[in-house]
Structure formats: C-alpha cells, structure tokens
Amino acid sequence: MKLLRNSAAGKASDVAVGYLMRAGIDGGGDLASASKAAERALAASDDPEQAIDRIVAMHTRLAAAGGFVTGLGGFLTLPVALSANVVGFYVVATRMVAAIAAVRGHDISHDAVRTTVLLTLTGNDSSTVLSRAGIGVNGIAAAALQGVSPAALMMVNKAVAFRLFAQVGQKSLARLGRGVPVVGGVVGGAFDAMLMHRIASHARMHFPQAPRELGADQAAERG
C-alpha cells in the first residue's frame, strides 16, 4: 500500500512539473510563452531592470486579479475555486520567473535553467529542497545547477513538486478570510500579490545577469 501511495505521489509530481513547464514557460492557448513576455518587456524598455519591473508588475496584477475573482464566492465556491486559483497562480509565477531569467540572458530551454525556475517557486525553502533531493551545490543561482546530471535535475523537480504541494496547504490556510464574500476576494488578491512579489525577489537573486559569450563580445568589439 505504501509503495502504491509513493508511486501515485511520484506520478502526481511528474504531472505537476510537466504542466508548469509547458504552460508557464512554453505557453499555450491564450498565454504567450515566457520568452515572448520577456521580448515584449524589453521592447517597451531599453533597460533590462526596468523590463523586469514591468514583468513583475504585470504578473502581480494577474495574480491579484486571479485571487480576487476566485475569492468572490466565499465558502460556497471555495473547494473548486481554490484548486483552480492555486494552479493558475503557480503557472503565472512560473512564467514570471522564466521571463526574468530570459531578460537576464539565460536560456530557458535549458534543463538546468528550467529546474531553477521551478526551484525559485519554493522561495526560502530552495536550499532545503536541494538537500532533500540529495543535491549539494554552492549557491542556488542558475549557474549552480549547470553541471548537475539530468537524473539529478529530475530529482530536484520532484522535490519541488512535493514542496509546492505542501505550500498549497499553507496557502489554503491563509485564505480562510475568503469565507466572507467580497472581503474574501480582497484578502485573496492581496495575498497572491504579496506572494508574487516575494517570488520575484527570489528570481532576481537566482538569475543574475548571464555572462555574454566570448564570441558575442568579440563581435561587439569588432563592430
């Protein structure tokens, strides 16, 4: 029975990780990819840091709006609305982090970078997640996972998924104010906006400006 439970949990984590990467990083449907979000932000501002500010502001608005809408029904709609909002929140957060990484020159199609994007969602728990996955790295920045094997990255992805499942429970407790219609929507929106800003702060730390390739530098000097 325990083996079956572990197997089911493992499959659930694989599904969660796969969905976040596809929907949050690669995009789909009405949601443009993180790369496209980064391109649009850079097109609106020549300064990469201002572009990141735009990305954070946009995704914070999305998070706050999602939290507000799903909280309007109070406890009557809580069981369904909560699950939908939690999934939506983490998709938006994944897209934001990946877009920040792209603006700072990281290749978000690279497995190590994509794993770091997911790891960023765990916030202050990222070091613990790596430790429980059996990964010992010097720092949490994207470069720290570059030399990690594909199998090890998969272990980190699973550990991230399990940690996010635990955070969902904590996130649910923080939403008890949603028991009151309208007021609950305000509480949910404010909570999601605060959490999105916190994740953005971690993204800025985990994804410093990527060094330019030597060939690009030489080409610039010649030009």
Side-chain angles (χ1 to χ4, degrees):
M1 182 66 72
K2 184 176 181 180
L3 181 60
L4 288 175
R5 285 199 299 268
N6 290 339
S7 177
K11 290 180 180 178
S13 67
D14 290 341
V15 170
V17 166
Y19 182 77
L20 286 179
M21 285 189 175
R22 287 194 307 274
I25 300 179
D26 301 326
D30 295 331
L31 188 67
S33 67
S35 294
K36 182 62 67 175
E39 290 173 6
R40 291 171 178 170
L42 286 170
S45 176
D46 294 333
D47 182 355
E49 293 310 303
Q50 289 183 4
I52 289 175
D53 289 341
R54 293 178 68 91
I55 289 170
V56 173
M58 177 182 68
H59 288 81
T60 298
R61 287 194 297 270
L62 287 174
F68 182 82
V69 171
T70 55
L72 287 178
F75 280 133
L76 292 179
T77 60
L78 184 60
V80 175
L82 178 62
S83 59
N85 176 254
V86 167
V87 171
F89 174 86
Y90 280 117
V91 167
V92 171
T94 300
R95 184 174 184 260
M96 177 187 70
V97 175
I100 291 173
V103 166
R104 287 192 168 167
H106 297 270
D107 181 1
I108 57 175
S109 68
H110 193 287
D111 287 343
V113 174
R114 292 165 78 89
T115 292
T116 309
V117 167
L118 295 185
L119 187 62
T120 302
L121 302 181
T122 65
N124 291 326
D125 295 331
S126 53
S127 296
T128 302
V129 169
L130 287 176
S131 177
R132 290 181 177 175
I135 307 296
V137 297
N138 183 21
I140 312 299
L145 293 180
Q146 290 296 328
V148 176
S149 70
L153 290 177
M154 289 180 62
M155 290 298 296
V156 176
N157 290 342
K158 286 180 180 292
V160 167
F162 285 126
R163 188 59 196 164
L164 291 184
F165 291 156
Q167 287 183 347
V168 165
Q170 297 170 6
K171 206 164 182 277
S172 301
L173 290 176
R175 294 170 178 276
L176 290 180
R178 289 190 175 195
V180 181
V182 180
V183 173
V186 173
V187 171
F191 180 80
D192 285 350
M194 177 192 69
L195 186 55
M196 191 65 70
H197 267 288
R198 188 178 301 168
I199 292 174
S201 295
H202 287 284
R204 292 176 191 267
M205 291 187 295
H206 290 189
F207 292 99
Q209 183 64 43
R212 297 179 63 187
E213 293 182 3
L214 182 59
D217 291 336
Q218 291 175 338
E221 290 174 2
R222 289 170 187 163

